[in-house]
Amino acid sequence: MVYEYADVSMLHLLATFLESAPQLVLQLCIIVQTHSLQALQGFTAAASLVSLAWALASYQKALRDSRDDKKPISYMAVVIQFCWHFFTIAARVITFALFASVFQLYFGIFIVLHWCIMTFWIVHCETEFCITKWEEIVFDMVVGIIYIFSWFNVKEGRTRCRLFIYYFVILLENTALSALWYLYKAPQIADAFAIPALCVVFSSFLTGVVFMLMYYAFFHPNGPRFGQSPSCACEDPVAAFTLPPEVATSTLRSISNNRSVVSDRDQKFAERDGCVPVFQVRPTAPSTPSSRPPRIEESVIKIDLFRNRYPAWERHVLDRSLRKAILAFECSPSPPRLQYKDDALIQERLEYETTL
């Protein structure tokens, strides 16, 4: 049910931005051109805006609930995310409506150009949502439509730089479009309407950025995201991440055990007629004497594949199936840990090894 709900949330997100977002811009453009606002128009516009913001926030909640390797997001964090997207999308669609009320043709050209740039950026990020390359490109093209209105994270890892680039570009675009509308607006539009409209655009964008900073500073599931310096290749990869003492000790022990069993594993591979197993199960080596209470003997599934070689969605389904299969076969009191072949992605590997 959790996986199906995540799928439904993704479909709802795509349908909302492909349907409600263009309708919202059209409604606001008609309101600006006619200089009149009816109650039904205001209600439908507000409902469309709420649906856009809620689609993004609810998808993040559903996605984290369906991932065993991710911490669940709290309801307060969902509310903060909703406010973040609500105000940033509001500033975006109001800017579009103002600009489109004067420059219809140039507005279409701008939308197509922005969509092409965002799609190229997403493809360059090398997303892993689909199995084939062409399906992935089609998915990136659809996500590029979402990027016309709002930020949508499609790649795991640090998002600080991508967030800054995206919202800096959005701020420049909103400023340029609003300035062009103000300079070439219709003569019947007085400054009594134009100045408050511009104030609403920039105050709404600033409010959304403030909610975004609040989310990453206080409500992110992994803790505060600010004040952490990015790790570089010359640093110790284990020391670059803050882990509890027990987790750090078990991780260092697992790394040392990995090095000690490499030769034994290669010898086993040679004895199997050259057929390299995809994964194998071995018991964890007994821990060194310490003041900590003894740990229950557990199993480690060594997967001889790189995590980024198969799609993200099937990746987690495979992990869950392996855990359940080994648990049923071994009848062990605790689920086994997964250990992948690629040691380069140290943060990703530590997250998987310490999830359970």
Side-chain angles (χ1 to χ4, degrees):
M1 185 194 69
V2 172
Y3 283 113
E4 291 178 355
Y5 180 68
D7 286 341
V8 171
S9 299
M10 168 61 79
L11 295 177
H12 172 66
L13 174 66
L14 299 179
T16 302
F17 274 89
L18 291 174
E19 181 179 358
S20 297
Q23 290 181 358
L24 177 58
V25 175
L26 179 60
Q27 287 176 331
L28 295 178
C29 183
I30 293 175
I31 292 173
V32 173
Q33 289 179 338
T34 58
H35 308 290
S36 63
L37 175 61
Q38 300 178 1
L40 183 59
Q41 283 181 322
F43 177 78
T44 54
S48 297
L49 183 58
V50 169
S51 67
L52 291 172
W54 178 248
L56 287 168
S58 62
Y59 173 71
Q60 292 297 327
K61 173 68 175 174
L63 179 64
R64 282 190 168 269
D65 289 343
S66 65
R67 298 270 304 263
D68 294 336
D69 61 321
K70 294 294 183 180
K71 297 180 180 179
I73 185 173
S74 64
Y75 287 100
M76 188 62 188
V78 174
V79 173
I80 297 298
Q81 270 202 2
F82 171 81
C83 297
W84 159 22
H85 295 300
F86 179 87
F87 287 104
T88 54
I89 295 175
R92 190 68 169 165
V93 295
I94 293 174
T95 302
F96 285 168
L98 295 176
F99 185 77
S101 64
V102 179
F103 305 98
Q104 290 83 8
L105 177 61
Y106 291 108
F107 174 71
I109 296 175
F110 165 78
I111 290 297
V112 173
L113 182 62
H114 180 87
W115 172 74
C116 292
I117 295 175
M118 291 294 107
T119 302
F120 177 78
W121 187 27
I122 298 171
V123 173
H124 181 71
C125 290
E126 298 180 355
T127 58
E128 300 175 351
F129 283 87
C130 303
I131 298 178
T132 64
K133 178 182 178 181
W134 293 109
E135 290 178 353
E136 193 72 33
I137 293 177
V138 173
F139 175 82
D140 294 341
M141 293 170 64
V142 176
V143 175
I145 299 177
I146 300 179
Y147 269 57
I148 297 175
F149 300 94
S150 178
W151 164 262
F152 177 63
N153 190 21
V154 294
K155 184 69 175 179
E156 293 188 12
R158 292 184 175 271
T159 59
R160 184 183 308 175
C161 181
R162 285 178 286 164
L163 270 173
F164 175 79
I165 294 175
Y166 178 81
Y167 279 110
F168 181 73
V169 172
I170 294 300
L171 179 60
L172 292 180
E173 291 180 350
N174 290 351
T175 303
L177 297 181
S178 301
L180 290 174
W181 169 78
Y182 182 78
L183 294 176
Y184 296 96
K185 66 181 184 298
Q188 60 269 24
I189 298 179
D191 289 342
F193 171 80
I195 299 301
L198 295 179
C199 293
V200 168
V201 169
F202 291 102
S203 61
S204 179
F205 181 81
L206 179 61
T207 304
V209 171
V210 170
F211 275 107
M212 179 191 68
L213 296 177
M214 288 177 55
Y215 170 76
Y216 283 103
F218 304 106
F219 298 97
H220 196 276
N222 295 336
R225 299 286 90 189
F226 300 118
Q228 299 179 359
S229 58
S231 59
C232 58
C234 60
E235 295 177 351
D236 186 5
V238 177
F241 306 99
T242 304
L243 295 174
E246 295 184 2
V247 175
T249 304
S250 62
T251 303
L252 291 174
R253 185 173 64 253
S254 63
I255 294 176
S256 61
N257 292 336
N258 294 343
R259 296 174 180 174
S260 62
V261 300
V262 170
S263 59
D264 297 339
R265 185 181 63 180
D266 295 340
Q267 184 178 1
K268 292 180 180 180
F269 291 166
E271 295 175 357
R272 295 172 63 93
D273 300 330
C275 182
V276 181
V278 175
F279 67 91
Q280 59 183 8
V281 182
R282 65 174 178 83
T284 304
S287 58
T288 57
S290 62
S291 59
R292 297 186 294 105
R295 295 179 56 186
I296 301 177
E297 191 73 14
E298 58 183 357
S299 300
V300 177
I301 304 176
K302 299 189 65 179
I303 301 180
D304 195 33
L305 289 174
F306 292 95
R307 281 198 70 236
N308 56 356
R309 292 298 175 84
Y310 48 97
W313 189 251
E314 283 77 7
R315 170 187 311 164
H316 305 294
V317 175
L318 174 63
D319 296 346
R320 192 160 172 259
S321 301
L322 287 175
R323 288 194 184 100
K324 293 175 66 176
I326 298 301
L327 181 62
F329 181 78
E330 295 276 338
C331 296
S332 58
S334 60
R337 293 188 295 111
L338 294 180
Q339 185 175 4
Y340 288 88
K341 182 178 180 180
D342 47 338
D343 293 336
L345 304 176
I346 183 69
Q347 181 183 13
E348 193 172 279
R349 187 168 60 81
L350 292 183
E351 288 180 356
Y352 261 75
E353 289 191 356
T354 59
T355 298
L356 302 177

